[in-house]
């Protein structure tokens, strides 16, 4: 007797479970609203501002200026002199614990909430 | 009086029976209590899957379309938001099935087709709800629940369809 589920069935089964898991993580895991934007430059706090502000922040680093936008309680990196543009492509970050790191320019953004959830940066 | 006849082929008659069966399933499950409107097992999709495998894509589109129109007339939801949601869900499912159903049976059975179709069904309905019906409500925040239930319904319907199809196939042989 043929198996009830074929290779493609298993593939779709597993892919769909991972979609559900990703959605759960995204929407349910860490929905603590962000309160402040914390920018570090070379390990030192460059800015700690409430998310309610709407502004553009230029942060100087060893490679040049990293431009950060703060708007509608979200933050993103508008431009960065780094080669791979990882932090720019990450897009908006908004929940407490979200981080974007522009490693080449030694700049990191972090959204903090009223209580700071644990993540790898705390170790 | 002008006599006019429509030539009904054997396949037409067969598809009409299938659509009628799908409508019955739709009607039967509308009697089930549901905690959130729109959450239902979608048993009628088993019929769509069987027709797709037995007769091909266009017959499956026909049975699906007939079921939605006839079923909504029966349930009194024709042209209501629920009807639009049904159409959106069915279109998305059929689009997904169009992409997947040519994959040989020995690679992909009914279960995979059913889950994939259930997911695109749910995605289309959530999109319609978030853009048109309830644009101010964060419906996507509930999407894990909807997709998890779609996964379950897709899995169960797919396995049922697979088993029925195999039983029928064994009888033919």
């Amino acid at each position: 007797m043929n198996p009830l589920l074929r290779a493609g069935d298993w593939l779709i089964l597993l892919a769909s479970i991972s979609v559900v898991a990703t959605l759960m993580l995204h929407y349910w895991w860490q929905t603590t609203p962000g309160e402040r934007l914390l920018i570090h430059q070379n390990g030192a706090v460059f800015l700690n501002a409430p998310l309610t502000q709407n502004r553009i922040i230029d942060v100087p680093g060893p490679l040049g200026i990293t431009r950060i936008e703060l708007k509608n309680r979200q933050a993103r990196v508008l431009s960065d002199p780094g080669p791979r543009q990882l932090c720019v492509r990450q897009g908006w970050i908004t929940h407490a614990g979200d981080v974007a790191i522009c490693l080449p320019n030694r700049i990191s953004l972090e959204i903090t909430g009223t209580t700071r959830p644990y993540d790898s940066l705390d170790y | 009086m002008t006599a006019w006849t429509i030539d009904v082929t054997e396949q037409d008659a067969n598809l009409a029976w299938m659509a009628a069966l799908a409508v019955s399933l739709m009607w039967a499950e509308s009697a089930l209590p549901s905690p959130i409107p729109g959450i239902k097992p979608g048993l009628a999709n088993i019929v769509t899957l069987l027709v797709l495998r037995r007769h091909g894509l266009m017959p499956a589109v026909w049975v699906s379309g007939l079921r939605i129109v006839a079923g909504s007339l029966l349930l009194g939801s024709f042209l209501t938001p629920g009807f639009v949601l049904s159409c959106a869900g069915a279109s998305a499912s059929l689009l997904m099935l169009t992409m997947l159903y040519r994959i040989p049976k020995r690679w992909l059975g009914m279960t995979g087709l059913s889950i994939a179709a259930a997911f695109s069904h749910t995605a289309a309905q959530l999109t319609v709800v978030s853009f048109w019906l309830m644009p101010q409500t964060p419906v996507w925040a509930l999407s894990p629940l909807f997709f998890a239930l779609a996964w379950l319904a897709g899995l169960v319907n797919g396995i049922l369809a697979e088993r029925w199809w195999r039983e029928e196939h064994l009888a033919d042989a």
Side-chain angles (χ1 to χ4, degrees):
Chain A
M1 189 61 196
N2 289 320
L4 192 63
L5 300 179
R6 310 285 164 76
D9 295 317
W10 283 112
L11 202 69
I12 289 180
L13 204 66
L14 295 177
S16 52
I17 288 179
S18 47
V19 168
V20 172
T22 310
L23 287 170
M24 281 180 174
L25 280 178
H26 182 73
Y27 285 107
W28 293 352
W29 180 252
Q30 204 171 72
T31 48
T32 322
E35 297 295 336
R36 298 181 79 81
L37 170 66
L38 190 62
I39 301 175
H40 280 87
Q41 205 288 313
N42 210 6
V45 175
F46 180 84
L47 178 88
N48 187 351
L51 282 181
T52 44
Q53 297 178 345
N54 285 344
R55 57 190 277 202
I56 306 259
I57 306 127
D58 284 344
V59 188
L63 297 183
I65 300 282
T66 296
R67 179 161 286 186
I68 293 158
E69 183 179 16
L70 184 55
K71 193 179 174 187
N72 297 331
R73 301 189 69 90
Q74 295 176 308
R76 68 170 169 183
V77 180
L78 271 180
S79 66
D80 178 66
R84 279 183 297 244
Q85 301 286 304
L86 293 178
C87 58
V88 181
R89 273 188 270 162
Q90 191 171 350
W92 294 105
I93 58 173
T94 180
H95 297 308
D98 287 356
V99 283
I101 302 171
C102 303
L103 202 55
N105 215 18
R106 297 187 194 167
I107 286 165
S108 75
L109 288 66
E110 182 183 355
I111 306 286
T112 56
T114 41
T115 54
R116 190 170 174 176
Y118 287 104
D119 61 51
S120 55
L121 290 182
D122 286 322
Y123 289 92
Chain B
M1 188 176 131
T2 316
W4 58 280
T5 54
I6 302 173
D7 288 329
V8 180
T9 64
E10 199 178 323
Q11 196 190 34
D12 291 339
N14 200 334
L15 294 186
W17 272 110
M18 285 292 137
L21 177 61
V23 170
S24 324
L25 287 170
M26 191 180 171
W27 177 71
E29 78 179 17
S30 75
L32 293 173
S34 172
I36 302 179
I39 291 184
K40 52 192 174 192
L43 295 169
N45 297 312
I46 297 172
V47 178
T48 310
L49 284 169
L50 289 170
V51 171
L52 177 76
R53 185 127 283 177
R54 199 186 301 148
H55 301 283
L57 186 64
M58 277 322 285
V61 173
W62 267 106
V63 167
S64 194
L66 282 172
R67 190 254 301 172
I68 290 171
V69 174
S72 69
L73 286 172
L74 184 71
L75 297 173
S77 62
F78 187 57
L79 299 184
T80 60
F83 173 75
V84 177
L85 283 177
S86 282
C87 290
S91 317
S93 303
L94 289 166
L95 203 65
M96 178 60 89
L97 291 173
T98 309
M99 290 190 281
L100 293 180
Y101 93 107
R102 284 176 204 281
I103 296 173
K105 285 191 274 292
R106 68 198 147 87
W107 293 111
L108 181 63
M110 298 285 205
T111 314
L113 290 179
S114 178
I115 294 175
F119 264 58
S120 47
H121 188 276
T122 303
Q125 296 200 331
L126 278 173
T127 307
V128 171
V129 171
S130 63
F131 279 100
W132 179 54
L133 291 177
M134 302 157 76
Q136 306 304 323
T137 324
V139 280
W140 287 99
L142 283 175
S143 66
L145 175 71
F146 288 122
F147 279 106
L149 291 169
W151 182 83
L152 189 66
L155 180 69
V156 171
N157 290 344
I159 289 176
L160 287 175
E162 181 75 43
R163 295 191 70 123
W164 269 328
W165 191 73
R166 284 187 187 189
E167 264 172 36
E168 194 180 65
H169 228 58
L170 285 177
D172 287 348

